[in-house]
Amino acid sequence: HTLFFAAGTVPATLFLALTTAVLIHRHIPFKNIFKAGLFITVSTSVIVIATLFAYLYSPEGVLNALLDRLGLPVPTPSWLIHPRFALWSIMAMNIWASFGYYMILILAGLQAIPGSLYEAAVIDGASEWDRLWHITFPQLRPILLFVVMIHTIYSLQVFPEILTMTQGGPLGTTRTMVYHLYETGFRKFQIGEASAVGYLLFLMALFFSMIQMRILKIGEETGE
């Protein structure tokens, strides 16, 4: 469940953060308002957001009311109690709550790219897609890998959302490593097993971080 959560949230969060950063980086009206609106979720407690989404996903929540109005089916008895949709629902909440922070990081990277590179590309006849693919992405490579690395670690440590919304249910479908560590160590007081889970989580985070750092190093050596 932990690996599935990370595999689902990291790419989606990166895509949303990159897309919104590129759009806001352009000279659009009221872009500071958009930045503040998208970033405001970062300053809000995860517990508060999880509580709001728990109401949103409830049988009498806004989401079910909207789907019912559109004539679309809704899961029974609710999103967070259905074994198939519970983890997906928490993943959607996590993506929405976290991509604003990474958007700001990527936006800072975009603003650091010299404008002369784009001017030279326009003179050479490069299309907008060519400029994005051959200038923007290579220049953003370090910041993108940094975002992937820190969000991977964050996703592997997912806990307050699970504790607030499902407590590992239904039928254990949202039981992640950190929640298992919490329940084993602080409810069952099986400290040895909880410590083993903690070390395993540390090794997993270290493993993925080393892979991403290696990718960054190879990219810098090849100049890609």
Side-chain angles (χ1 to χ4, degrees), residues 9-25 38 95-96 98-108 110 140 143-144 147-148 151:
T9 56
V10 172
T13 303
L14 178 63
F15 174 78
L16 280 177
L18 179 61
T19 302
T20 52
V22 171
L23 292 176
I24 292 177
H25 182 61
L38 294 173
I95 294 169
W96 178 85
S98 58
F99 85 91
Y101 171 68
Y102 304 113
M103 176 204 69
I104 295 297
L105 295 180
I106 296 173
L107 188 60
L110 287 171
L140 284 179
I143 191 68
L144 291 178
V147 166
V148 171
H151 192 53

Side-chain angles (χ1 to χ4, degrees), residues 121-158:
V122 171
I123 294 174
D124 291 338
S127 65
E128 186 173 354
W129 172 254
D130 290 332
R131 297 195 297 271
L132 181 66
W133 186 256
H134 295 289
I135 297 177
T136 304
F137 285 160
Q139 292 291 318
L140 284 179
R141 184 187 183 96
I143 191 68
L144 291 178
L145 285 174
F146 173 74
V147 166
V148 171
M149 181 173 66
I150 61 175
H151 192 53
T152 299
I153 296 174
Y154 171 72
S155 297
L156 293 175
Q157 297 175 348
V158 59

Side-chain angles (χ1 to χ4, degrees), residues 27-127:
H27 297 290
I28 60 174
F30 310 111
K31 69 176 184 178
N32 288 331
I33 296 178
F34 285 110
K35 285 193 291 185
L38 294 173
F39 185 76
I40 196 170
T41 58
V42 181
S43 61
T44 307
S45 170
V46 177
I47 300 297
V48 173
I49 296 176
T51 303
L52 292 175
F53 267 79
Y55 171 73
L56 178 70
Y57 290 137
S58 67
E60 299 81 17
V62 178
L63 181 59
N64 280 4
L66 178 62
L67 293 176
D68 185 64
R69 197 169 192 78
L70 296 174
L72 299 175
V74 297
T76 304
S78 74
W79 292 89
L80 296 177
I81 300 179
H82 196 290
R84 182 180 298 177
F85 298 111
L87 187 59
W88 285 101
S89 300
I90 298 176
M91 290 166 61
M93 187 222 75
N94 179 272
I95 294 169
W96 178 85
S98 58
F99 85 91
Y101 171 68
Y102 304 113
M103 176 204 69
I104 295 297
L105 295 180
I106 296 173
L107 188 60
L110 287 171
Q111 293 173 345
I113 299 176
S116 58
L117 296 178
Y118 293 104
E119 295 172 0
V122 171
I123 294 174
D124 291 338
S127 65

